[in-house]
Amino acid sequence: MSASPTLNNLDGIATIYPHEPDHFSIIRAQIEQRAGLVKTWNIQPGERVLEIGCGQGDCTVVLATAVGDEGFVTAVDPASLDYGSPYTLGQAQSHLRDSAVGHRIKFVQADPIAFLQSSTEHYTTAVLAQCSWYFAAPHVFSDILAALLDRVDRVCISEYALTSSDYRAMPHILATFAQATLECRKTTSTANVRSLLAPERLRAAALAAGLAVRAETIMQPPEGMLDGTWEAGYVLSKGFEEEVDKYVSDEREKAVYTAAMDSIRATRDVLKAKGDRVHTMDIWVATFAKPT
């Protein structure tokens, strides 16, 4: 087992995250963004962190790096272990368990609220890193905050801001609304965007749960982060078009989806002609705690 990485060695963290050699730059950008979150939240050595919606563990590995050998990360996600690509949750989590920081991590496949109700452990920090849009409905976010209230000292949240400091990210925002609107027509979903919540609504939910804002900022993602490219690409895919045909019958409503796709395609083509690509939208980063 190699030596444990540090937050000052992002290449070292990215190296132990599962990836194909020719995809290292993609993973490196993801790790850079997660490290930016962890530094902004000021996660300290020795902390006991509960991560909600850990997915494949790209934020988990950075959190485990930050807390050191005296700390620990409990990473919870309800998704099936065969969910995800190019590595499933099961594959990625197994890989990280065997890594240099694996002894600092416990992965739990469980509904977050059920998990909290089944244990009494207290955590210094709860982290929800760009996971709220995966929730089945907006109330799930509020329910999780209520369950966390007496179990953590503070709650750290990040989510896409639905703003674009960089015009190249506008297709990402359009793609997000197109996906979210379509998912509203489904009774169940495994899509990346299921409950679309802007920072204002996330902040309001936290305040309603009894938390107070300690800090918040808007972060611009690294140049190499490809989430915007991927989401725009999905909305322009044949699969998304087939989903629209399946779930939308009204001619006027279908025209809205077509217009979104046309706008994304046209903007992507303009960027491509300039030797560029679609970028990722801004990210809202906040810290909450119970009022003193």
Side-chain angles (χ1 to χ4, degrees):
M1 184 179 293
S2 59
S4 297
T6 70
L7 286 183
N8 294 323
N9 179 11
L10 299 184
D11 285 352
I13 302 175
T15 297
I16 65 175
Y17 189 80
H19 65 278
E20 297 299 320
D22 56 347
H23 292 165
F24 180 78
S25 62
I26 298 174
I27 298 304
R28 174 59 168 73
Q30 294 285 335
I31 294 300
E32 180 181 350
Q33 192 268 322
R34 270 43 172 188
L37 296 177
V38 169
K39 292 177 181 178
T40 300
W41 290 326
N42 196 29
I43 303 292
Q44 292 295 303
E47 284 207 49
R48 301 193 68 80
V49 176
L50 173 64
E51 184 189 6
I52 302 293
C54 64
Q56 281 98 335
D58 50 1
C59 190
T60 314
V61 69
V62 180
L63 289 167
T65 299
V67 301
D69 278 337
E70 300 303 314
F72 199 76
V73 180
T74 301
V76 180
D77 198 296
S80 171
L81 294 180
D82 61 5
Y83 175 80
S85 176
Y87 295 94
T88 66
L89 267 68
Q91 290 170 331
Q93 292 176 8
S94 177
H95 181 90
L96 291 176
R97 284 192 196 96
D98 293 335
S99 75
V101 297
H103 60 290
R104 305 174 188 170
I105 304 170
K106 178 182 179 181
F107 287 107
V108 181
Q109 183 193 12
D111 174 82
I113 296 174
F115 171 78
L116 287 165
Q117 291 173 342
S118 68
S119 71
T120 58
E121 187 167 352
H122 189 90
Y123 304 90
T124 55
T125 301
V127 165
L128 293 91
Q130 286 135 254
C131 67
S132 71
W133 290 1
Y134 286 88
F135 297 155
H139 73 82
V140 175
F141 179 74
S142 296
D143 293 346
I144 289 174
L145 293 181
L148 286 171
L149 193 60
D150 294 324
R151 305 291 298 281
V152 299
D153 298 331
R154 62 178 184 149
V155 180
C156 296
I157 303 169
S158 70
E159 192 51 87
Y160 294 109
L162 295 176
T163 61
S164 175
S165 300
D166 185 332
Y167 78 95
R168 297 174 296 177
M170 282 305 300
H172 186 194
I173 296 176
L174 285 172
T176 295
F177 278 100
Q179 287 187 64
T181 304
L182 183 60
E183 293 311 305
C184 288
R185 293 183 156 273
K186 302 178 182 178
T187 55
T188 60
S189 172
T190 59
N192 291 350
V193 186
R194 306 173 201 177
S195 296
L196 192 57
L197 293 165
E200 290 79 4
R201 305 306 167 190
L202 295 168
R203 184 190 308 110
L207 296 177
L211 295 166
V213 179
R214 290 291 179 256
E216 60 180 324
T217 189
I218 295 293
M219 175 184 294
Q220 291 191 38
E223 282 281 318
M225 192 170 174
L226 298 182
D227 294 55
T229 300
W230 294 330
E231 297 299 343
Y234 170 64
V235 171
L236 295 180
S237 71
K238 185 66 175 177
F240 184 80
E241 186 175 353
E242 290 172 350
E243 290 271 286
V244 171
D245 289 337
K246 178 179 179 179
Y247 289 100
V248 182
S249 57
D250 183 84
E251 180 183 6
R252 294 170 301 172
E253 187 177 355
K254 188 171 289 189
V256 174
Y257 290 100
T258 302
M261 295 164 70
D262 289 345
S263 179
I264 293 168
R265 184 178 293 105
T267 307
R268 181 200 62 182
D269 290 347
V270 168
L271 292 171
K272 187 175 180 179
K274 295 180 178 180
D276 211 336
R277 57 169 175 77
V278 173
H279 281 243
T280 301
M281 74 174 88
D282 302 338
I283 298 169
W284 174 71
V285 188
T287 300
F288 297 88
K290 287 185 287 188
T292 55

